[in-house]
Structure formats: structure tokens, C-alpha cells
């Protein structure tokens, strides 16, 4: 018995159908990939722009907050005689007034040129301590003003200080204030509420100066790697804990933070 003859057009029709299918799907596939790439690029560009704007906003807010606080301390130091600042009642009144306006200052103390704490008002027992060997004391004596990183100090608790030098009667004094790091952290966190970003301040050693979540512990080193000095806002694409992230940075406070 002879086998039926294969229709030569059957294979041709199949090949033509496959060609038409490919010709129809290939442009759609290319357009889809191109649209996906364009959408990803647009999303990344928008993310970078949002982060840059947020960092600029937070930098201006923090700079203004800290500078106003520093100027207030300098104003008090220059306006009040050392004899009155050494009076605990005067210091208490000044601290109450300063806290009622901004709430950034936790305590006040007057220190003489030898580093002795002459007067103090606040939640700690610091009066009578000798600060002459502390790095911040040497800095304020040389430069006239000082803003510290977060450190432990005598109280063994993370805090930061601002200090201003004053002279009177041929002697040198320092008015020193502790700054509320929780208030500073809350000012920084406002940026995260706007952008959904994780926002914090680091010092030059890459250590947290503010808290955003339980992941951030004051004075512990962040996992961001070394950040070079740069102008403006720098946005880089990197990987952190296995995730791709954008890291936006800006230096502030004279490139200290």
C-alpha cells in the first residue's frame, strides 16, 4: 500500500504562520522592553530629584536650627556679666526662657578659664567638675565657639554641647549648653515623612548623630562606607544589606557632619 503524498504547502503554511507571529510579537516585545527601561529611568530620575530636594531642605533646616541655638548662647554669654551667670537663680531663669522658645537646650553651665564648673542648672550633677582636659574645652578657648559631635563625657550618656567664650574683668569664661539630641533627631526625621527615605546625620567618622529608627544607635558606625567631601548634594546608587538603594548626602556645619 502506498503512503499518502505529503502536501508541500502544509509546511510552507506553518512557516509563514510562524514568520507572521514573530513579525507581530517582536515589535511588541521590543516596545515593551523599551517602555520598561524608560519607565525605570524615569522612576530613578524622579527618586534622585526627590532625594536631592529633601536633603537640601533638611540641610537648610538643621543649619538654621543649630546656628540660631548657637547665636542665642553667644548672645547670653555677651549680654550677662560673669558674676550674674555664676548665680544659679539667674542661670535657671535664663534656661527657662531659652527652653520656652525652642526647647533645644537641656542645661546651662558657666566654666572659668581653668576649666572649673562654677555654676550649673540641669538634670545632672556637674557643678565643680574640671573640664580643662576635655577636647571641646580647648577648642572653644581657641576659636571662641564650639559645637561638638555626640559624645559620652562625664555623664556617660550620648549628648552634644555648644559653648561660647566670654571675657570680663580680665578673665575668661565659657557658657556651655547641652543640646537635646531627640529634638535634633525629630527635625531630621521630618524629611523621611516627606520622601519615605531613611534620614540621619553622620559625623566625619560615619557615626550616627541622630536617630531615625531602632537601627540607628547614637555614636555607632553606619553601614554607608566612607563618604568623600563634596559640594552640593551627591546621589549614588549602591547596595546595602542585599538591596539596591540610593544614597543622597550633603555636608553641613562646616563639613563636620
Amino acid at each position: 500500500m502506498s503512503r499518502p503524498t505529503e502536501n508541500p504547502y502544509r509546511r510552507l503554511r506553518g512557516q509563514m504562520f510562524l514568520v507572521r507571529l514573530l513579525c507581530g510579537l517582536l515589535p511588541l516585545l521590543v516596545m515593551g522592553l523599551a517602555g520598561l527601561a524608560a519607565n525605570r529611568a524615569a522612576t530613578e530620575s524622579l527618586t534622585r530629584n526627590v532625594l536631592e530636594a529633601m536633603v537640601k531642605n533638611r540641610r537648610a533646616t538643621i543649619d538654621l536650627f543649630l546656628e540660631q541655638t548657637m547665636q542665642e548662647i553667644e548672645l547670653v554669654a555677651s549680654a550677662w556679666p560673669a558674676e550674674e551667670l555664676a548665680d544659679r537663680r539667674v542661670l535657671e531663669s535664663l534656661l527657662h526662657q531659652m527652653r520656652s522658645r525652642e526647647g533645644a537646650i537641656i542645661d546651662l553651665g558657666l566654666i572659668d578659664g581653668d576649666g572649673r564648673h562654677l555654676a550649673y542648672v540641669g538634670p545632672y550633677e556637674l557643678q565643680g567638675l574640671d573640664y580643662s582636659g576635655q577636647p571641646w574645652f580647648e577648642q572653644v578657648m581657641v576659636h571662641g565657639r564650639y559645637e561638638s559631635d555626640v559624645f559620652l563625657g562625664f555623664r556617660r550618656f550620648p549628648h552634644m554641647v555648644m559653648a561660647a567664650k566670654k571675657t570680663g574683668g580680665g578673665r575668661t569664661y565659657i557658657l556651655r549648653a547641652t543640646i537635646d539630641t531627640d529634638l535634633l533627631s525629630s527635625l531630621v526625621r521630618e524629611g523621611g515623612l516627606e520622601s519615605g527615605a531613611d534620614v540621619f546625620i553622620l559625623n566625619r567618622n560615619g557615626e550616627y548623630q541622630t536617630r531615625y529608627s531602632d537601627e540607628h544607635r547614637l555614636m555607632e558606625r553606619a553601614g554607608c562606607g566612607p563618604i568623600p567631601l563634596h559640594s552640593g548634594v551627591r546621589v549614588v546608587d549602591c547596595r546595602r544589606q542585599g538591596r539596591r538603594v540610593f544614597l543622597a548626602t550633603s555636608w553641613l556645619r562646616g563639613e563636620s557632619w
Side-chain angles (χ1 to χ4, degrees):
M1 180 179 292
S2 62
R3 298 178 60 184
T5 305
E6 183 178 357
N7 186 348
Y9 297 104
R10 183 176 182 182
R11 179 178 297 179
L12 180 61
R13 284 198 301 269
Q15 292 175 344
M16 292 179 63
F17 174 78
L18 182 59
V19 169
R20 287 197 299 268
L21 183 64
L22 290 176
C23 289
L25 290 180
L26 188 59
L28 294 176
L29 180 62
V30 172
M31 291 174 59
L33 291 175
L36 182 63
N39 182 66
R40 180 175 181 179
T43 301
E44 291 184 359
S45 177
L46 176 61
T47 301
R48 288 174 179 270
N49 291 338
V50 169
L51 287 176
E52 183 175 353
M54 182 271 297
V55 169
K56 286 181 179 179
N57 176 277
R58 290 301 93 194
R59 179 183 61 194
T61 299
I62 299 304
D63 266 329
L64 179 62
F65 166 74
L66 292 176
E67 187 59 30
Q68 286 181 337
T69 304
M70 184 75 247
Q71 289 179 3
E72 186 173 20
I73 296 169
E74 290 177 322
L75 178 62
V76 171
S78 62
W80 291 83
E83 295 78 13
E84 295 189 35
L85 291 176
D87 187 330
R88 181 181 176 86
R89 292 172 299 178
V90 173
L91 272 187
E92 285 180 341
S93 175
L94 289 170
L95 178 61
H96 177 73
Q97 295 176 38
M98 296 166 85
R99 285 193 62 81
S100 65
R101 286 193 290 272
E102 292 290 341
I105 296 176
I106 294 175
D107 61 17
L108 278 177
L110 183 69
I111 300 165
D112 68 13
D114 296 323
R116 293 175 300 179
H117 215 158
L118 302 179
Y120 171 81
V121 290
Y124 301 96
E125 295 294 333
L126 301 178
Q127 189 163 337
L129 293 177
D130 182 1
Y131 289 96
S132 59
Q134 298 294 311
W136 68 264
F137 178 81
E138 299 173 4
Q139 290 290 324
V140 72
M141 291 296 285
V142 172
H143 300 291
R145 57 155 41 189
Y146 180 70
E147 299 175 19
S148 77
D149 284 346
V150 175
F151 69 110
L152 295 177
F154 286 120
R155 63 193 77 186
R156 309 309 300 170
F157 185 82
H159 66 286
M160 68 170 292
V161 301
M162 288 184 172
K165 184 171 71 173
K166 72 176 275 93
T167 56
R171 301 187 61 185
T172 301
Y173 301 89
I174 294 172
L175 183 65
R176 176 183 184 270
T178 301
I179 307 305
D180 187 351
T181 55
D182 288 336
L183 178 58
L184 184 61
S185 294
S186 68
L187 289 175
V188 176
R189 278 196 299 269
E190 290 179 6
L193 298 176
E194 298 168 2
S195 64
D198 190 2
V199 192
F200 46 85
I201 292 177
L202 307 177
N203 63 9
R204 279 199 174 211
N205 295 326
E207 299 165 338
Y208 289 116
Q209 304 297 288
T210 59
R211 285 185 290 257
Y212 186 82
S213 65
D214 292 338
E215 179 185 348
H216 306 156
R217 295 179 176 86
L218 294 180
M219 301 177 61
E220 286 193 2
R221 192 177 293 272
C224 298
I227 299 174
L229 292 175
H230 60 83
S231 60
V233 178
R234 175 177 177 261
V235 183
V236 295
D237 187 348
C238 59
R239 299 199 69 82
R240 189 179 183 194
Q241 298 177 348
R243 295 182 300 137
R244 183 181 180 224
V245 298
F246 289 106
L247 179 64
T249 58
S250 179
W251 287 89
L252 69 157
R253 307 312 292 164
E255 298 179 342
S256 296
W257 285 355

